[in-house]
Amino acid sequence: MSSPDRNSHAAVAPKPSSAAKPKLPKSPTKKKAPKSSSEPRKPARITGILKVSPVSPALRQFLGAPEASRTDAVKKIWEYIKLRNLQNPADKREIYCDDKLKTIFEGKDKVGFLEIGKLLSGHFVKAN
């Protein structure tokens, strides 16, 4: 048996250069015109942790407002903690509670930062 000669195959035709093809100008993409309706667009309904709801008397006294969203309440609590340096320096995940924080954190001396959300959930009144 003889092996086929690799050079015996027909030569491959060279590809035509890109200069040989005439380039067509690209057509501009059509952009949709914005809808122009006379009615203003309805704002999205705020739900979940951004929804403002009534709070318990203890949290109301801490925040100084009868209503708050969960995110605003957590932000204000963290501002209070940072301002008074209530984080454990050795373990930043641990919060020391002063008298004011004890009123909203069920009288605990220390709480973990992951507990804050769970402890606050009881302070938000469910609105039907």
Side-chain angles (χ1 to χ4, degrees):
M1 270 202 222
S2 66
S3 63
D5 188 12
R6 292 184 183 178
N7 294 332
S8 67
H9 294 288
V12 179
K15 291 184 179 180
S17 68
S18 61
K21 289 184 182 178
K23 290 189 178 183
L24 300 175
K26 291 184 179 181
S27 62
T29 57
K30 293 182 181 179
K31 293 185 179 179
K32 292 182 180 179
K35 293 181 182 179
S36 59
S37 65
S38 60
E39 296 178 27
R41 186 175 177 185
K42 276 187 172 179
R45 187 173 154 202
I46 298 174
T47 59
I49 61 173
L50 297 175
K51 185 177 180 181
V52 176
S53 59
V55 294
S56 70
L59 189 58
R60 182 179 304 139
Q61 186 176 3
F62 182 87
L63 298 175
E67 295 181 328
S69 68
R70 291 179 189 264
T71 54
D72 287 339
V74 171
K75 282 180 189 177
K76 289 185 180 184
I77 289 170
W78 272 106
E79 285 175 13
Y80 182 84
I81 291 169
K82 297 278 187 178
L83 184 66
R84 286 163 180 78
N85 200 19
L86 295 174
Q87 278 183 289
N88 180 353
D91 184 6
K92 296 282 188 180
R93 296 174 297 174
E94 194 174 61
I95 312 303
Y96 297 128
C97 296
D98 62 359
D99 291 334
K100 196 168 181 181
L101 282 178
K102 284 181 183 181
T103 61
I104 58 174
F105 290 151
E106 301 173 355
K108 294 186 175 189
D109 291 329
K110 290 188 250 181
V111 294
F113 80 100
L114 293 176
E115 287 181 78
I116 292 175
K118 183 172 71 171
L119 293 169
L120 282 179
S121 65
H123 292 285
F124 287 91
V125 180
K126 300 265 186 193
N128 291 334

